[in-house]
Amino acid sequence: MNPFTVHTGLVAPMDRANVDTDMIIPKQFLKSIKRSGFGPNLFDELRYLDEGQPGADCSRRPLNQDFPLNFPRYQGASVLLARENFGCGSSREHAPWALEDFGIRSIIAPSFADIFYNNCFKNGLLPIALDAADVERLFASMHAEEGYRLTVDLERQRVVEPDGRETYFDVDEYRRYRLLNGLDDIGITLEHADAIHRYEAQAREARPWLFDAVAAGEPQEQGV
Amino acid sequence: MSARTLYDKLWDAHLVENLDGGSALIYIDRHLLHEVTSPQAFEGLRLAGRRPWRIDANLATPDHNVPTDKAERDGGVEGIVDPVSRLQVQTLDENCRDFSIVEFEINDRRQGIVHVIGPELGATLPGMTVVCGDSHTATHGALGAMAQGIGTSEVEHVLATQCLVQKKMKNMRVQVDGQLQPGVSAKDVVLAVIGKIGTAGGTGHAMEFAGEAIGSLSMEGRMTLCNMAIEAGARVGLVAVDEVTLDYVRGKPYAPVGELWERAAQDWRQLHSDPGAHFDTVVELRAEDIAPQVTWGTSPEMVLPVDSCVPDPAGIEDEGKRRATERALEYMGLEPGQAITDIRPDRVFIGSCTNSRIEDLRAAAEVVRGRQVAEGVKQVLVVPGSGAVKAQAEAEGLDRVFIEAGMEWREPGCSMCLAMNADKLGAGEHCASTSNRNFEGRQGFGGRTHLVSPAMAAAAAVTGHFVDVRTLGPHTAQGDAA
């Protein structure tokens, strides 16, 4: 995973509440067994006028000219400005994969759905929850100024506007540390292997029925 | 020890270690896998040269894009027509073989939707921590288990370490006192809850359903409730263990037996919130006030009792809400103020991890029995949640009830809930669906989903429009006035 420290980038809007992960990446693209290549299908049903198919050449598809991410002024955007409960619905990590593949590095919204929020950090994406009033101000500034850029500083936990105004954001210390350093989660957890083994020994003693059931093979009888 | 909630108890029992910054390492007892969210996780293990930490904690089955059409299904994996779907199911088979993980393959009698087979096999048990790369894992909380959906990176993390890194959630209690009216089901309860608190109402919380009406629900009903906790924003849904739970678990293929059962049952009887335990948020509903629900929009919170009219955006003050309502009505092709009972579904889907268990099929069959699919309804799919549910339904003759009414009786899988296989809506088509999400395009590009209970879906199928199932009355030889 790439580290995330400070990022400055063009801001684009996704101006609706409850953007769900079906909207971020529709189900037909979930059949891929890869982690990459989802960018052209980000917001597929909003971005194009036809129905997207896996493997189709998106450069030949009719674009929805009313969808902001297709506006010339937002080309190359890497900061997405969004509304309440962004990323609700399915747990599909294909959603952050698609955003990341498209070039988004950070999403700013008043609130996020839990699973999506968590998935972002695993993929070098920084979701930032700000007060609704702050988000409203950023929307207004973005609309007012073509080429509007924001700086997202994870080290100092600040969103910096072009006029120098800074807004603090909260982020869990463990997630911040890993993202700043681009660390592999599994490697860190495996440093605690002894504690996991100790827990297992104690749990096996206290709740033995939780162990070995499935490995014991076929169930005795087909139950209904 | 001070009074604890059910979630507190489950958290404490699975705490491996507290980490810096308020996170903790939580041990996972059961990991369910399916074909869609696991291939990249196995690939990650391979690239890093890692092995699963504890193989017997894992159980896999393909469900999301298996065909439900009998002829296609009979061809097994090789017979899956869509090559991309086929490759994904083959990849699951290969990964499970390579890593020695138990898998119930496509035509195994034990195959089914992960959230249906876990409980019915006793592979998910009370007091467990359960995860799966699927947000509807909350379903298993009905057994008094801490169950939650995870992303693919966490699937890999659980495979490699048997743990999750988490922050403890807040506690929420949804209290439903009183008794539900006949014809009103768990699905109506959870839709009413979502309508009340919104799709973000439970964000950051573990949501425990409690109260007289919840205690009166069957396990199937409790699973429906917990299944949709995520639609209210809560990753974890819970119901306390009681005798209904123990009766359900007893005798399941993987459930403990003999002395081990006695020990387990004693442990499980503690799995309830203590009197006086602290909940950060409490929501209360009266069971008697809940009518059959129908969603009219593109988010599960856009839901109303069946006898209502679709909202008129002109009367909504909040600008964001007004715009969302306008957009939803446009997508759904509905007029402001239109009666919900005037909406005519083109197709009906009875199935999904929310409502494809035996009790759901019985409820639907009871409405359908002796009636016919109404004119104007192009297709009614009835998709059992597992091989076991299918066998049980056939033993009870429910399949005949559906087939004789002009409905299609299919093979088990996720089917039209998310339309990853051939079962989908055409653009502009309305669907009465027992699934869990009415998002734009969820059931097919341009498709229009209305979430309802199995009985309500069946009622819409035989009348051709949404109707309060409580008014339908018994079937007569001449058919229905409606």
Side-chain angles (χ1 to χ4, degrees), chain A residues 27 31 93 118 192 199-200, chain B residues 13 17 27 82 153-154 441:
Chain A
K27 69 269 171 192
K31 297 178 188 182
E93 201 159 316
N118 193 43
H192 299 265
Y199 172 87
E200 275 183 331
Chain B
E17 207 165 34
Y27 190 80
D82 178 349
S153 294
E154 287 186 327

Side-chain angles (χ1 to χ4, degrees), chain B residues 435-472:
Chain B
S435 55
N436 41 58
R437 290 187 175 135
N438 51 346
F439 300 153
E440 291 182 19
R442 170 82 177 181
Q443 293 191 291
F445 184 73
R448 295 161 169 170
T449 304
H450 301 274
L451 303 176
V452 286
S453 73
M456 285 287 288
V462 297
T463 60
H465 57 87
F466 288 106
V467 60
D468 188 336
V469 67
R470 295 172 300 178
T471 65
L472 205 52

Side-chain angles (χ1 to χ4, degrees), chain B residues 255-280:
Chain B
V257 291
E259 191 210 339
L260 213 50
W261 167 266
E262 295 305 326
R263 273 184 69 186
Q266 196 181 354
D267 187 82
W268 296 341
R269 285 195 173 93
Q270 314 306 313
L271 296 175
H272 53 78
S273 291
D274 296 327
H278 174 72
F279 285 88
D280 302 274

Side-chain angles (χ1 to χ4, degrees), chain B residues 92-129:
Chain B
L92 179 68
D93 291 352
E94 281 166 24
N95 283 327
C96 289
R97 268 198 294 279
D98 288 356
F99 290 97
S100 305
I101 288 170
V102 173
E103 182 198 1
F104 299 139
E105 294 186 5
I106 180 166
N107 284 340
D108 190 302
R109 280 187 355 115
R110 296 159 294 181
Q111 180 272 345
I113 305 173
V114 281
H115 310 311
V116 175
I117 70 165
E120 82 182 2
L121 289 168
T124 49
L125 294 170
M128 272 186 167
T129 41

Side-chain angles (χ1 to χ4, degrees), chain A residues 106-117:
Chain A
S106 182
I107 305 152
I108 300 173
S111 59
F112 294 89
D114 285 345
I115 303 180
F116 174 81
Y117 183 80

